[in-house]
Amino acid sequence: KAGVTQTPRYLIKTRGQQVTLSCSPISGHRSVSWYQQTPGQGLQFLFEYFSETQRNKGNFPGRFSGRQFSNSRSEMNVSTLELGDSALYLCASSPQGAGGANVLTFGAGSRLTVL
Amino acid sequence: AQTVTQSQPEMSVQEAETVTLSCTYDTSENNYYLFWYKQPPSRQMILVIRQEAYKQQNATENRFSVNFQKAAKSFSLKISDSQLGDTAMYFCAPISLSGGGADGLTFGKGTHLIIQP
């Protein structure tokens, strides 16, 4: 069974640009969640999607958005990039969401550098 | 809101030794799960072990076990017979069951565990 696939693995952008990251979950998993990991703030929850609907969102500005397609693949978008957006962005999938028997399986992440 | 404290930013032990990583959390929930994840240098987060808060028996997974003290809101991870491959960042994360699966995990800041040969 293929794992969670995130693309691209590395990317460099400049301030003001926008970026789109992609996440393909494990086959059969309907929930995809996104996390931002930085040295200063650690791992922070961005949002969670289930069956193409955003069910929850972390404390991030509106520049961070996402969506989920009918095949459960998800994308997240960051507009008007700031230096502080430099981070490792992790995607995780599970059958129905986090908690209980629904263990999150993480991808390898997308490393974003904003110059 | 949940808060998670991992008081040991970094630990270093010799191979084959036993090491315990500490985690305390604060939650108003009564039903929740607790997880330990590891993140090796490859960056891929991997589940180590999980504990259901309503179970008194501590979870074990091969060389990994937890000491769960619900009243104290403490969830420590013990690694026995440590191996070089255990070198990684370790994160503690509780999650409420009331969110219906939509909640995000609240991670601690992590403990960088280094296993020395």
Side-chain angles (χ1 to χ4, degrees), chain A residues 9-10 35 37 40-41 45 55-56 97-101 103-104 106-109, chain B residues 33 35 37 39 43-45 47 50 91 95 97 100-105 107 109:
Chain A
R9 291 290 306 277
Y10 303 90
Y35 291 81
Q37 185 175 24
Q41 299 298 317
F45 171 70
R55 296 196 297 183
N56 203 354
V103 173
L104 296 184
F106 284 83
Chain B
Y33 271 73
F35 299 90
Y37 279 88
Q39 187 178 37
R43 306 182 325 205
Q44 188 114 21
M45 293 280 281
L47 177 69
R50 63 178 172 173
F91 296 96
I95 186 162
L97 292 180
D103 287 349
L105 288 172
F107 288 94
K109 292 292 189 185

PDB file of all heavy atoms in Angstrom, chain A residues 9-10 35 37 40-41 45 55-56 97-101 103-104 106-109, chain B residues 33 35 37 39 43-45 47 50 91 95 97 100-105 107 109:
ATOM      1  N   ARG A   9       8.853  18.134  -2.772  1.00  0.00           N
ATOM      2  CA  ARG A   9       9.551  17.904  -1.514  1.00  0.00           C
ATOM      3  C   ARG A   9      10.283  19.167  -1.048  1.00  0.00           C
ATOM      4  O   ARG A   9      10.398  19.421   0.139  1.00  0.00           O
ATOM      5  CB  ARG A   9      10.552  16.772  -1.674  1.00  0.00           C
ATOM      6  CG  ARG A   9       9.918  15.406  -1.876  1.00  0.00           C
ATOM      7  CD  ARG A   9       9.224  14.905  -0.599  1.00  0.00           C
ATOM      8  NE  ARG A   9      10.107  14.901   0.548  1.00  0.00           N
ATOM      9  CZ  ARG A   9      10.969  13.933   0.832  1.00  0.00           C
ATOM     10  NH1 ARG A   9      11.059  12.882   0.040  1.00  0.00           N
ATOM     11  NH2 ARG A   9      11.724  14.002   1.907  1.00  0.00           N
ATOM     12  N   TYR A  10      10.782  19.923  -1.997  1.00  0.00           N
ATOM     13  CA  TYR A  10      11.497  21.156  -1.676  1.00  0.00           C
ATOM     14  C   TYR A  10      11.082  22.242  -2.662  1.00  0.00           C
ATOM     15  O   TYR A  10      10.881  21.954  -3.844  1.00  0.00           O
ATOM     16  CB  TYR A  10      13.019  20.966  -1.781  1.00  0.00           C
ATOM     17  CG  TYR A  10      13.569  19.871  -0.912  1.00  0.00           C
ATOM     18  CD1 TYR A  10      13.673  18.566  -1.398  1.00  0.00           C
ATOM     19  CD2 TYR A  10      14.002  20.130   0.385  1.00  0.00           C
ATOM     20  CE1 TYR A  10      14.186  17.551  -0.599  1.00  0.00           C
ATOM     21  CE2 TYR A  10      14.522  19.121   1.183  1.00  0.00           C
ATOM     22  CZ  TYR A  10      14.603  17.835   0.685  1.00  0.00           C
ATOM     23  OH  TYR A  10      15.124  16.833   1.472  1.00  0.00           O
ATOM     24  N   TYR A  35      -0.148  20.215   8.679  1.00  0.00           N
ATOM     25  CA  TYR A  35       0.560  20.784   9.812  1.00  0.00           C
ATOM     26  C   TYR A  35       1.744  21.601   9.303  1.00  0.00           C
ATOM     27  O   TYR A  35       2.377  21.255   8.316  1.00  0.00           O
ATOM     28  CB  TYR A  35       1.075  19.678  10.746  1.00  0.00           C
ATOM     29  CG  TYR A  35      -0.016  18.954  11.480  1.00  0.00           C
ATOM     30  CD1 TYR A  35      -0.733  17.930  10.860  1.00  0.00           C
ATOM     31  CD2 TYR A  35      -0.350  19.296  12.785  1.00  0.00           C
ATOM     32  CE1 TYR A  35      -1.747  17.269  11.519  1.00  0.00           C
ATOM     33  CE2 TYR A  35      -1.365  18.632  13.461  1.00  0.00           C
ATOM     34  CZ  TYR A  35      -2.057  17.631  12.826  1.00  0.00           C
ATOM     35  OH  TYR A  35      -3.057  16.972  13.491  1.00  0.00           O
ATOM     36  N   GLN A  37       5.489  22.944  10.487  1.00  0.00           N
ATOM     37  CA  GLN A  37       6.532  22.698  11.473  1.00  0.00           C
ATOM     38  C   GLN A  37       7.654  23.707  11.297  1.00  0.00           C
ATOM     39  O   GLN A  37       8.281  23.778  10.238  1.00  0.00           O
ATOM     40  CB  GLN A  37       7.090  21.281  11.361  1.00  0.00           C
ATOM     41  CG  GLN A  37       8.092  20.930  12.453  1.00  0.00           C
ATOM     42  CD  GLN A  37       8.548  19.489  12.391  1.00  0.00           C
ATOM     43  OE1 GLN A  37       8.506  18.836  11.344  1.00  0.00           O
ATOM     44  NE2 GLN A  37       8.971  18.949  13.520  1.00  0.00           N
ATOM     45  N   GLY A  40      10.752  27.450  15.711  1.00  0.00           N
ATOM     46  CA  GLY A  40      10.268  28.291  16.807  1.00  0.00           C
ATOM     47  C   GLY A  40       8.930  27.878  17.372  1.00  0.00           C
ATOM     48  O   GLY A  40       8.733  27.833  18.583  1.00  0.00           O
ATOM     49  N   GLN A  41       8.001  27.558  16.504  1.00  0.00           N
ATOM     50  CA  GLN A  41       6.633  27.249  16.919  1.00  0.00           C
ATOM     51  C   GLN A  41       6.343  25.762  17.005  1.00  0.00           C
ATOM     52  O   GLN A  41       5.300  25.367  17.530  1.00  0.00           O
ATOM     53  CB  GLN A  41       5.630  27.898  15.962  1.00  0.00           C
ATOM     54  CG  GLN A  41       5.707  29.412  15.909  1.00  0.00           C
ATOM     55  CD  GLN A  41       5.399  30.034  17.247  1.00  0.00           C
ATOM     56  OE1 GLN A  41       4.466  29.633  17.944  1.00  0.00           O
ATOM     57  NE2 GLN A  41       6.204  31.012  17.645  1.00  0.00           N
ATOM     58  N   PHE A  45      -1.234  22.709  13.884  1.00  0.00           N
ATOM     59  CA  PHE A  45      -2.315  22.236  13.039  1.00  0.00           C
ATOM     60  C   PHE A  45      -2.828  23.375  12.150  1.00  0.00           C
ATOM     61  O   PHE A  45      -3.124  24.464  12.634  1.00  0.00           O
ATOM     62  CB  PHE A  45      -3.435  21.706  13.936  1.00  0.00           C
ATOM     63  CG  PHE A  45      -4.723  21.380  13.233  1.00  0.00           C
ATOM     64  CD1 PHE A  45      -4.818  20.300  12.370  1.00  0.00           C
ATOM     65  CD2 PHE A  45      -5.855  22.153  13.448  1.00  0.00           C
ATOM     66  CE1 PHE A  45      -6.013  19.987  11.745  1.00  0.00           C
ATOM     67  CE2 PHE A  45      -7.056  21.851  12.829  1.00  0.00           C
ATOM     68  CZ  PHE A  45      -7.130  20.764  11.975  1.00  0.00           C
ATOM     69  N   ARG A  55     -13.329  20.596   7.905  1.00  0.00           N
ATOM     70  CA  ARG A  55     -14.044  20.404   9.163  1.00  0.00           C
ATOM     71  C   ARG A  55     -13.456  21.231  10.300  1.00  0.00           C
ATOM     72  O   ARG A  55     -14.146  21.510  11.272  1.00  0.00           O
ATOM     73  CB  ARG A  55     -14.034  18.924   9.560  1.00  0.00           C
ATOM     74  CG  ARG A  55     -14.760  18.021   8.596  1.00  0.00           C
ATOM     75  CD  ARG A  55     -15.061  16.662   9.210  1.00  0.00           C
ATOM     76  NE  ARG A  55     -13.860  15.910   9.557  1.00  0.00           N
ATOM     77  CZ  ARG A  55     -13.886  14.669  10.054  1.00  0.00           C
ATOM     78  NH1 ARG A  55     -15.043  14.069  10.276  1.00  0.00           N
ATOM     79  NH2 ARG A  55     -12.761  14.039  10.334  1.00  0.00           N
ATOM     80  N   ASN A  56     -12.200  21.565  10.184  1.00  0.00           N
ATOM     81  CA  ASN A  56     -11.576  22.293  11.279  1.00  0.00           C
ATOM     82  C   ASN A  56     -10.395  23.083  10.734  1.00  0.00           C
ATOM     83  O   ASN A  56      -9.792  22.708   9.721  1.00  0.00           O
ATOM     84  CB  ASN A  56     -11.102  21.317  12.367  1.00  0.00           C
ATOM     85  CG  ASN A  56     -10.970  21.976  13.717  1.00  0.00           C
ATOM     86  OD1 ASN A  56     -11.121  23.197  13.853  1.00  0.00           O
ATOM     87  ND2 ASN A  56     -10.683  21.189  14.729  1.00  0.00           N
ATOM     88  N   GLY A  97     -10.212  10.647  10.269  1.00  0.00           N
ATOM     89  CA  GLY A  97      -9.813  11.786  11.081  1.00  0.00           C
ATOM     90  C   GLY A  97      -8.898  11.337  12.195  1.00  0.00           C
ATOM     91  O   GLY A  97      -8.581  10.160  12.335  1.00  0.00           O
ATOM     92  N   ALA A  98      -8.463  12.300  12.984  1.00  0.00           N
ATOM     93  CA  ALA A  98      -7.505  11.994  14.048  1.00  0.00           C
ATOM     94  C   ALA A  98      -8.229  11.441  15.263  1.00  0.00           C
ATOM     95  O   ALA A  98      -9.379  11.726  15.519  1.00  0.00           O
ATOM     96  CB  ALA A  98      -6.738  13.256  14.428  1.00  0.00           C
ATOM     97  N   GLY A  99      -7.522  10.675  16.023  1.00  0.00           N
ATOM     98  CA  GLY A  99      -8.056  10.196  17.295  1.00  0.00           C
ATOM     99  C   GLY A  99      -8.566   8.782  17.232  1.00  0.00           C
ATOM    100  O   GLY A  99      -8.969   8.295  16.187  1.00  0.00           O
ATOM    101  N   GLY A 100      -8.541   8.127  18.364  1.00  0.00           N
ATOM    102  CA  GLY A 100      -9.066   6.780  18.450  1.00  0.00           C
ATOM    103  C   GLY A 100      -8.288   5.819  17.590  1.00  0.00           C
ATOM    104  O   GLY A 100      -7.063   5.877  17.521  1.00  0.00           O
ATOM    105  N   ALA A 101      -9.006   4.970  16.909  1.00  0.00           N
ATOM    106  CA  ALA A 101      -8.350   3.983  16.062  1.00  0.00           C
ATOM    107  C   ALA A 101      -7.825   4.605  14.787  1.00  0.00           C
ATOM    108  O   ALA A 101      -7.092   3.973  14.029  1.00  0.00           O
ATOM    109  CB  ALA A 101      -9.328   2.861  15.739  1.00  0.00           C
ATOM    110  N   VAL A 103      -5.409   6.357  13.383  1.00  0.00           N
ATOM    111  CA  VAL A 103      -4.064   6.885  13.533  1.00  0.00           C
ATOM    112  C   VAL A 103      -3.681   7.672  12.290  1.00  0.00           C
ATOM    113  O   VAL A 103      -3.962   7.270  11.162  1.00  0.00           O
ATOM    114  CB  VAL A 103      -3.073   5.729  13.754  1.00  0.00           C
ATOM    115  CG1 VAL A 103      -1.642   6.240  13.734  1.00  0.00           C
ATOM    116  CG2 VAL A 103      -3.377   5.015  15.058  1.00  0.00           C
ATOM    117  N   LEU A 104      -3.042   8.803  12.487  1.00  0.00           N
ATOM    118  CA  LEU A 104      -2.579   9.595  11.360  1.00  0.00           C
ATOM    119  C   LEU A 104      -1.328   8.983  10.760  1.00  0.00           C
ATOM    120  O   LEU A 104      -0.410   8.592  11.472  1.00  0.00           O
ATOM    121  CB  LEU A 104      -2.267  11.023  11.812  1.00  0.00           C
ATOM    122  CG  LEU A 104      -3.417  11.875  12.323  1.00  0.00           C
ATOM    123  CD1 LEU A 104      -2.921  13.283  12.633  1.00  0.00           C
ATOM    124  CD2 LEU A 104      -4.545  11.926  11.317  1.00  0.00           C
ATOM    125  N   PHE A 106       1.659  10.092   8.276  1.00  0.00           N
ATOM    126  CA  PHE A 106       2.218  11.328   7.740  1.00  0.00           C
ATOM    127  C   PHE A 106       3.009  11.088   6.459  1.00  0.00           C
ATOM    128  O   PHE A 106       3.603  10.016   6.255  1.00  0.00           O
ATOM    129  CB  PHE A 106       3.154  11.960   8.770  1.00  0.00           C
ATOM    130  CG  PHE A 106       2.444  12.650   9.894  1.00  0.00           C
ATOM    131  CD1 PHE A 106       1.988  11.934  10.991  1.00  0.00           C
ATOM    132  CD2 PHE A 106       2.228  14.029   9.869  1.00  0.00           C
ATOM    133  CE1 PHE A 106       1.328  12.558  12.035  1.00  0.00           C
ATOM    134  CE2 PHE A 106       1.572  14.667  10.908  1.00  0.00           C
ATOM    135  CZ  PHE A 106       1.126  13.929  11.994  1.00  0.00           C
ATOM    136  N   GLY A 107       3.044  12.139   5.651  1.00  0.00           N
ATOM    137  CA  GLY A 107       3.930  12.155   4.508  1.00  0.00           C
ATOM    138  C   GLY A 107       5.297  12.673   4.927  1.00  0.00           C
ATOM    139  O   GLY A 107       5.514  13.023   6.088  1.00  0.00           O
ATOM    140  N   ALA A 108       6.219  12.719   3.965  1.00  0.00           N
ATOM    141  CA  ALA A 108       7.595  13.150   4.261  1.00  0.00           C
ATOM    142  C   ALA A 108       7.724  14.656   4.327  1.00  0.00           C
ATOM    143  O   ALA A 108       8.755  15.169   4.755  1.00  0.00           O
ATOM    144  CB  ALA A 108       8.548  12.579   3.222  1.00  0.00           C
ATOM    145  N   GLY A 109       6.700  15.360   3.908  1.00  0.00           N
ATOM    146  CA  GLY A 109       6.703  16.811   4.040  1.00  0.00           C
ATOM    147  C   GLY A 109       7.189  17.547   2.810  1.00  0.00           C
ATOM    148  O   GLY A 109       7.872  16.991   1.941  1.00  0.00           O
TER     149      GLY A 109
ATOM    150  N   TYR B  33      -7.215  10.272  23.512  1.00  0.00           N
ATOM    151  CA  TYR B  33      -6.107   9.372  23.224  1.00  0.00           C
ATOM    152  C   TYR B  33      -4.814  10.160  23.378  1.00  0.00           C
ATOM    153  O   TYR B  33      -4.787  11.384  23.285  1.00  0.00           O
ATOM    154  CB  TYR B  33      -6.196   8.852  21.779  1.00  0.00           C
ATOM    155  CG  TYR B  33      -7.004   7.584  21.638  1.00  0.00           C
ATOM    156  CD1 TYR B  33      -8.385   7.604  21.751  1.00  0.00           C
ATOM    157  CD2 TYR B  33      -6.383   6.374  21.357  1.00  0.00           C
ATOM    158  CE1 TYR B  33      -9.125   6.442  21.604  1.00  0.00           C
ATOM    159  CE2 TYR B  33      -7.122   5.214  21.187  1.00  0.00           C
ATOM    160  CZ  TYR B  33      -8.488   5.254  21.323  1.00  0.00           C
ATOM    161  OH  TYR B  33      -9.218   4.111  21.180  1.00  0.00           O
ATOM    162  N   PHE B  35      -0.680   9.999  22.042  1.00  0.00           N
ATOM    163  CA  PHE B  35       0.226   9.411  21.070  1.00  0.00           C
ATOM    164  C   PHE B  35       1.658   9.858  21.333  1.00  0.00           C
ATOM    165  O   PHE B  35       1.900  10.968  21.807  1.00  0.00           O
ATOM    166  CB  PHE B  35      -0.149   9.855  19.650  1.00  0.00           C
ATOM    167  CG  PHE B  35      -1.527   9.442  19.205  1.00  0.00           C
ATOM    168  CD1 PHE B  35      -2.615  10.262  19.436  1.00  0.00           C
ATOM    169  CD2 PHE B  35      -1.728   8.243  18.544  1.00  0.00           C
ATOM    170  CE1 PHE B  35      -3.890   9.893  19.023  1.00  0.00           C
ATOM    171  CE2 PHE B  35      -2.994   7.864  18.121  1.00  0.00           C
ATOM    172  CZ  PHE B  35      -4.071   8.691  18.365  1.00  0.00           C
ATOM    173  N   TYR B  37       4.853  10.164  18.726  1.00  0.00           N
ATOM    174  CA  TYR B  37       5.349  10.050  17.371  1.00  0.00           C
ATOM    175  C   TYR B  37       6.854  10.308  17.400  1.00  0.00           C
ATOM    176  O   TYR B  37       7.355  11.081  18.221  1.00  0.00           O
ATOM    177  CB  TYR B  37       4.697  11.090  16.447  1.00  0.00           C
ATOM    178  CG  TYR B  37       3.321  10.713  15.934  1.00  0.00           C
ATOM    179  CD1 TYR B  37       2.180  11.033  16.650  1.00  0.00           C
ATOM    180  CD2 TYR B  37       3.181  10.048  14.713  1.00  0.00           C
ATOM    181  CE1 TYR B  37       0.920  10.698  16.165  1.00  0.00           C
ATOM    182  CE2 TYR B  37       1.925   9.717  14.221  1.00  0.00           C
ATOM    183  CZ  TYR B  37       0.808  10.038  14.958  1.00  0.00           C
ATOM    184  OH  TYR B  37      -0.442   9.702  14.481  1.00  0.00           O
ATOM    185  N   GLN B  39      10.177  11.440  14.831  1.00  0.00           N
ATOM    186  CA  GLN B  39      10.529  12.049  13.546  1.00  0.00           C
ATOM    187  C   GLN B  39      12.038  11.914  13.378  1.00  0.00           C
ATOM    188  O   GLN B  39      12.809  12.702  13.904  1.00  0.00           O
ATOM    189  CB  GLN B  39      10.108  13.519  13.498  1.00  0.00           C
ATOM    190  CG  GLN B  39      10.290  14.162  12.135  1.00  0.00           C
ATOM    191  CD  GLN B  39       9.811  15.600  12.109  1.00  0.00           C
ATOM    192  OE1 GLN B  39       9.974  16.338  13.071  1.00  0.00           O
ATOM    193  NE2 GLN B  39       9.209  16.019  10.990  1.00  0.00           N
ATOM    194  N   ARG B  43      12.677  13.025   8.425  1.00  0.00           N
ATOM    195  CA  ARG B  43      11.538  13.927   8.622  1.00  0.00           C
ATOM    196  C   ARG B  43      10.179  13.243   8.643  1.00  0.00           C
ATOM    197  O   ARG B  43       9.184  13.879   8.971  1.00  0.00           O
ATOM    198  CB  ARG B  43      11.495  15.046   7.569  1.00  0.00           C
ATOM    199  CG  ARG B  43      12.728  15.853   7.420  1.00  0.00           C
ATOM    200  CD  ARG B  43      12.581  16.955   6.406  1.00  0.00           C
ATOM    201  NE  ARG B  43      11.744  16.621   5.285  1.00  0.00           N
ATOM    202  CZ  ARG B  43      11.851  17.211   4.099  1.00  0.00           C
ATOM    203  NH1 ARG B  43      12.777  18.117   3.906  1.00  0.00           N
ATOM    204  NH2 ARG B  43      11.028  16.886   3.129  1.00  0.00           N
ATOM    205  N   GLN B  44      10.107  11.984   8.283  1.00  0.00           N
ATOM    206  CA  GLN B  44       8.798  11.321   8.256  1.00  0.00           C
ATOM    207  C   GLN B  44       8.340  11.020   9.673  1.00  0.00           C
ATOM    208  O   GLN B  44       9.011  10.320  10.427  1.00  0.00           O
ATOM    209  CB  GLN B  44       8.910  10.006   7.472  1.00  0.00           C
ATOM    210  CG  GLN B  44       7.591   9.341   7.224  1.00  0.00           C
ATOM    211  CD  GLN B  44       7.224   9.301   5.752  1.00  0.00           C
ATOM    212  OE1 GLN B  44       8.079   9.408   4.878  1.00  0.00           O
ATOM    213  NE2 GLN B  44       5.948   9.146   5.458  1.00  0.00           N
ATOM    214  N   MET B  45       7.177  11.542  10.027  1.00  0.00           N
ATOM    215  CA  MET B  45       6.611  11.282  11.349  1.00  0.00           C
ATOM    216  C   MET B  45       6.061   9.862  11.383  1.00  0.00           C
ATOM    217  O   MET B  45       5.300   9.456  10.505  1.00  0.00           O
ATOM    218  CB  MET B  45       5.473  12.262  11.624  1.00  0.00           C
ATOM    219  CG  MET B  45       5.912  13.696  11.755  1.00  0.00           C
ATOM    220  SD  MET B  45       6.577  14.044  13.359  1.00  0.00           S
ATOM    221  CE  MET B  45       5.061  14.227  14.264  1.00  0.00           C
ATOM    222  N   LEU B  47       4.284   6.844  13.942  1.00  0.00           N
ATOM    223  CA  LEU B  47       3.643   6.543  15.215  1.00  0.00           C
ATOM    224  C   LEU B  47       4.491   5.538  15.989  1.00  0.00           C
ATOM    225  O   LEU B  47       4.905   4.516  15.451  1.00  0.00           O
ATOM    226  CB  LEU B  47       2.256   5.958  14.987  1.00  0.00           C
ATOM    227  CG  LEU B  47       1.509   5.523  16.248  1.00  0.00           C
ATOM    228  CD1 LEU B  47       1.107   6.739  17.079  1.00  0.00           C
ATOM    229  CD2 LEU B  47       0.296   4.679  15.896  1.00  0.00           C
ATOM    230  N   ARG B  50       0.403   4.392  21.236  1.00  0.00           N
ATOM    231  CA  ARG B  50      -0.763   5.194  21.611  1.00  0.00           C
ATOM    232  C   ARG B  50      -1.414   4.584  22.851  1.00  0.00           C
ATOM    233  O   ARG B  50      -1.285   3.397  23.136  1.00  0.00           O
ATOM    234  CB  ARG B  50      -1.772   5.253  20.468  1.00  0.00           C
ATOM    235  CG  ARG B  50      -2.358   3.910  20.093  1.00  0.00           C
ATOM    236  CD  ARG B  50      -3.367   4.038  18.992  1.00  0.00           C
ATOM    237  NE  ARG B  50      -3.782   2.732  18.498  1.00  0.00           N
ATOM    238  CZ  ARG B  50      -4.745   2.541  17.628  1.00  0.00           C
ATOM    239  NH1 ARG B  50      -5.396   3.577  17.132  1.00  0.00           N
ATOM    240  NH2 ARG B  50      -5.074   1.329  17.227  1.00  0.00           N
ATOM    241  N   PHE B  91       7.728  13.294  19.764  1.00  0.00           N
ATOM    242  CA  PHE B  91       6.655  14.219  20.075  1.00  0.00           C
ATOM    243  C   PHE B  91       5.511  13.501  20.771  1.00  0.00           C
ATOM    244  O   PHE B  91       5.084  12.421  20.361  1.00  0.00           O
ATOM    245  CB  PHE B  91       6.110  14.856  18.790  1.00  0.00           C
ATOM    246  CG  PHE B  91       7.086  15.703  18.059  1.00  0.00           C
ATOM    247  CD1 PHE B  91       7.827  15.182  17.011  1.00  0.00           C
ATOM    248  CD2 PHE B  91       7.266  17.036  18.401  1.00  0.00           C
ATOM    249  CE1 PHE B  91       8.738  15.965  16.320  1.00  0.00           C
ATOM    250  CE2 PHE B  91       8.164  17.836  17.707  1.00  0.00           C
ATOM    251  CZ  PHE B  91       8.911  17.296  16.677  1.00  0.00           C
ATOM    252  N   ILE B  95      -5.166  13.855  21.993  1.00  0.00           N
ATOM    253  CA  ILE B  95      -6.261  14.320  21.155  1.00  0.00           C
ATOM    254  C   ILE B  95      -7.585  13.927  21.762  1.00  0.00           C
ATOM    255  O   ILE B  95      -7.762  12.801  22.231  1.00  0.00           O
ATOM    256  CB  ILE B  95      -6.149  13.805  19.707  1.00  0.00           C
ATOM    257  CG1 ILE B  95      -7.238  14.443  18.844  1.00  0.00           C
ATOM    258  CG2 ILE B  95      -6.242  12.292  19.656  1.00  0.00           C
ATOM    259  CD1 ILE B  95      -6.992  14.372  17.377  1.00  0.00           C
ATOM    260  N   LEU B  97     -11.531  13.019  21.899  1.00  0.00           N
ATOM    261  CA  LEU B  97     -12.428  12.210  21.085  1.00  0.00           C
ATOM    262  C   LEU B  97     -13.712  12.962  20.761  1.00  0.00           C
ATOM    263  O   LEU B  97     -14.527  12.491  19.983  1.00  0.00           O
ATOM    264  CB  LEU B  97     -12.778  10.906  21.806  1.00  0.00           C
ATOM    265  CG  LEU B  97     -11.622   9.925  21.976  1.00  0.00           C
ATOM    266  CD1 LEU B  97     -12.089   8.679  22.709  1.00  0.00           C
ATOM    267  CD2 LEU B  97     -11.034   9.548  20.637  1.00  0.00           C
ATOM    268  N   GLY B 100     -14.797  14.407  16.926  1.00  0.00           N
ATOM    269  CA  GLY B 100     -15.293  13.610  15.804  1.00  0.00           C
ATOM    270  C   GLY B 100     -14.257  13.340  14.741  1.00  0.00           C
ATOM    271  O   GLY B 100     -14.579  13.016  13.612  1.00  0.00           O
ATOM    272  N   GLY B 101     -13.004  13.487  15.119  1.00  0.00           N
ATOM    273  CA  GLY B 101     -11.942  13.225  14.153  1.00  0.00           C
ATOM    274  C   GLY B 101     -11.455  14.457  13.437  1.00  0.00           C
ATOM    275  O   GLY B 101     -10.460  14.411  12.718  1.00  0.00           O
ATOM    276  N   ALA B 102     -12.130  15.571  13.645  1.00  0.00           N
ATOM    277  CA  ALA B 102     -11.757  16.783  12.920  1.00  0.00           C
ATOM    278  C   ALA B 102     -10.682  17.593  13.627  1.00  0.00           C
ATOM    279  O   ALA B 102     -10.087  18.469  13.026  1.00  0.00           O
ATOM    280  CB  ALA B 102     -12.995  17.661  12.708  1.00  0.00           C
ATOM    281  N   ASP B 103     -10.455  17.291  14.901  1.00  0.00           N
ATOM    282  CA  ASP B 103      -9.463  18.062  15.636  1.00  0.00           C
ATOM    283  C   ASP B 103      -8.066  17.757  15.146  1.00  0.00           C
ATOM    284  O   ASP B 103      -7.761  16.647  14.725  1.00  0.00           O
ATOM    285  CB  ASP B 103      -9.532  17.745  17.130  1.00  0.00           C
ATOM    286  CG  ASP B 103     -10.762  18.341  17.775  1.00  0.00           C
ATOM    287  OD1 ASP B 103     -11.441  19.153  17.121  1.00  0.00           O
ATOM    288  OD2 ASP B 103     -11.043  17.983  18.925  1.00  0.00           O
ATOM    289  N   GLY B 104      -7.216  18.747  15.256  1.00  0.00           N
ATOM    290  CA  GLY B 104      -5.823  18.501  14.970  1.00  0.00           C
ATOM    291  C   GLY B 104      -5.116  18.022  16.218  1.00  0.00           C
ATOM    292  O   GLY B 104      -5.565  18.246  17.334  1.00  0.00           O
ATOM    293  N   LEU B 105      -4.013  17.342  16.024  1.00  0.00           N
ATOM    294  CA  LEU B 105      -3.196  16.938  17.154  1.00  0.00           C
ATOM    295  C   LEU B 105      -2.477  18.166  17.707  1.00  0.00           C
ATOM    296  O   LEU B 105      -2.012  19.019  16.949  1.00  0.00           O
ATOM    297  CB  LEU B 105      -2.165  15.899  16.721  1.00  0.00           C
ATOM    298  CG  LEU B 105      -2.691  14.506  16.399  1.00  0.00           C
ATOM    299  CD1 LEU B 105      -1.589  13.647  15.800  1.00  0.00           C
ATOM    300  CD2 LEU B 105      -3.252  13.839  17.638  1.00  0.00           C
ATOM    301  N   PHE B 107       0.772  19.025  19.457  1.00  0.00           N
ATOM    302  CA  PHE B 107       2.073  18.416  19.722  1.00  0.00           C
ATOM    303  C   PHE B 107       2.854  19.204  20.762  1.00  0.00           C
ATOM    304  O   PHE B 107       2.746  20.431  20.845  1.00  0.00           O
ATOM    305  CB  PHE B 107       2.908  18.366  18.447  1.00  0.00           C
ATOM    306  CG  PHE B 107       2.443  17.344  17.441  1.00  0.00           C
ATOM    307  CD1 PHE B 107       1.577  17.705  16.421  1.00  0.00           C
ATOM    308  CD2 PHE B 107       2.886  16.033  17.503  1.00  0.00           C
ATOM    309  CE1 PHE B 107       1.148  16.771  15.486  1.00  0.00           C
ATOM    310  CE2 PHE B 107       2.469  15.092  16.571  1.00  0.00           C
ATOM    311  CZ  PHE B 107       1.599  15.471  15.561  1.00  0.00           C
ATOM    312  N   LYS B 109       6.749  20.342  22.125  1.00  0.00           N
ATOM    313  CA  LYS B 109       7.878  20.895  21.387  1.00  0.00           C
ATOM    314  C   LYS B 109       8.872  19.823  20.962  1.00  0.00           C
ATOM    315  O   LYS B 109       9.744  20.065  20.133  1.00  0.00           O
ATOM    316  CB  LYS B 109       8.608  21.946  22.237  1.00  0.00           C
ATOM    317  CG  LYS B 109       7.782  23.202  22.488  1.00  0.00           C
ATOM    318  CD  LYS B 109       7.549  24.007  21.228  1.00  0.00           C
ATOM    319  CE  LYS B 109       6.917  25.347  21.541  1.00  0.00           C
ATOM    320  NZ  LYS B 109       6.571  26.090  20.304  1.00  0.00           N
TER     321      LYS B 109
END
